[in-house]
Amino acid sequence: MKTVYLILLIALVGWKGYHAWLRGRKSWTQDMQQYQSLWEYLLGNGATLQEARKPFIKRALSRAFVPMMKQWRLWAVVAVIGILIWIIL
């Protein structure tokens, strides 16, 4: 039973992580297309590639992980139930 629960928990975390990655990648590509002039402006004013990417990466990460963090209550309940089942069995 413990192994089955562990596999289900890993699958759930992997699934949520995959969807967060998809949201982040979609946000990154949309922002790079929509704000191409900002990218060129930053590079034209002497910013390094890392400095020019920073606002795009921040926005993509926030769009990817904020919805997951809002679901934290659900994650906490699942984790507590899992720990209790693990201890009982």
Side-chain angles (χ1 to χ4, degrees):
M1 181 67 179
K2 291 181 183 181
T3 306
V4 171
Y5 183 74
L6 183 62
I7 290 171
L8 288 174
L9 190 62
I10 290 172
L12 181 64
V13 169
W15 178 66
K16 285 290 188 183
Y18 175 70
H19 285 285
W21 177 77
L22 284 178
R23 278 192 306 269
R25 191 184 86 198
K26 182 180 177 185
S27 172
W28 167 267
T29 55
Q30 284 178 346
D31 286 350
M32 287 301 287
Q33 290 172 354
Q34 189 174 4
Y35 299 110
Q36 183 67 30
S37 60
L38 173 62
W39 172 262
E40 293 170 356
Y41 174 78
L42 291 172
L43 289 177
N45 284 325
T48 62
L49 285 175
Q50 185 178 10
E51 292 170 343
R53 282 186 199 126
K54 192 173 184 178
F56 298 103
I57 291 174
K58 279 185 175 182
R59 186 170 170 136
L61 286 174
S62 69
R63 282 186 176 174
F65 290 111
V66 167
M68 270 186 19
M69 294 303 142
K70 286 183 179 180
Q71 294 175 351
W72 181 250
R73 292 181 191 145
L74 173 65
W75 286 98
V77 169
V78 169
V80 167
I81 291 172
I83 290 170
L84 291 175
I85 290 173
W86 195 280
I87 291 172
I88 292 170
L89 298 177

